[in-house]
Amino acid sequence: GVPIVVASQWNVESAATAQLMGSFHRYRHLEHEPTASALRRAQIDMINDPSGRFSAPFYWAAFAVFGGHSLY
């Protein structure tokens, strides 16, 4: 009964995932972005982070949206 899932396709690094998911949920819930858009914005935030700590695709590219469309 789950309409949509965001999941990683390979093992991920914990600190980077925490940062990515924090941004994702902020966009998803507070800014009411659709799931795919919220994930994309969170990934772009990682790429453009001035510190460059997690800008490599290894840290953010594992995540994808699977399933249909769902709004909260």
Side-chain angles (χ1 to χ4, degrees):
V2 177
I4 197 162
V5 172
V6 174
S8 66
Q9 300 176 79
W10 58 81
N11 290 335
V12 294
E13 197 274 334
S14 294
T17 300
Q19 182 175 320
L20 179 71
M21 289 296 122
S23 294
F24 167 72
H25 286 290
R26 182 178 65 250
Y27 290 131
R28 183 83 172 94
H29 294 287
L30 299 179
E31 298 188 25
H32 307 288
E33 289 275 343
T35 303
S37 175
L39 180 60
R40 180 179 180 273
R41 285 183 67 188
Q43 289 170 325
I44 290 170
D45 287 351
M46 302 276 291
I47 293 167
N48 293 325
D49 181 10
S51 75
R53 182 174 175 202
F54 300 125
S55 61
F58 168 79
Y59 295 108
W60 52 264
F63 293 91
V65 177
F66 300 93
H69 181 75
S70 177
L71 292 174
Y72 284 85

